[in-house]
Amino acid sequence: MKKAMASGLCLLIAGAAAIGAIPEKQKSEEAAIRQVVQLYFDGIIKYEEDALRKAFHPRANIIGTTGEGTVDWEPFQEWVLYTRKDAPDPAGRNNSIVSIDITGNAAVVKTDLAWPHVHYVDYLSLLKIEGRWVIVNKTWNREKPKAR
């Protein structure tokens, strides 16, 4: 009886480990997506146009609501031009990845951008095109900054 219980417990632990295990391909896809999102973060913080052009597909769209609630809808090629201005001080601008959801060659990344004067939550849609992950759509929400 003890042997059967111990054997069953081993199977339960092995099964739980298998469920929690992330396949190597999934890990490498997630790492590649994280690199693209880091390019995005670098581009928006440091105003690095080249980083954003590497992260986004040229035909991507940037869509969100302003603080007044109006919809702001821009093609990437117009939106990226803001980087040609002087970048503000990056102090206090904290960007993080909240979640990554991958299905085949499509992914959605939720990001949190906690900046001193504004708080953004972005939903980045990515596609793997010709072997490379790129952001094809950015949908954002702007609100007052979180209390620190």
Side-chain angles (χ1 to χ4, degrees), residues 90-95 112-119 145-148:
R93 291 183 171 213
N94 299 306
N95 301 333
D112 185 271
L113 288 64
W115 296 357
H117 302 292
V118 66
H119 176 239
K146 293 180 177 179
R148 293 182 181 207

Side-chain angles (χ1 to χ4, degrees), residues 20-35:
I22 299 173
E24 287 303 314
K25 180 169 176 34
Q26 186 82 357
K27 285 182 186 177
S28 68
E29 297 296 352
E30 183 176 320
I33 289 168
R34 285 182 180 277
Q35 288 177 343

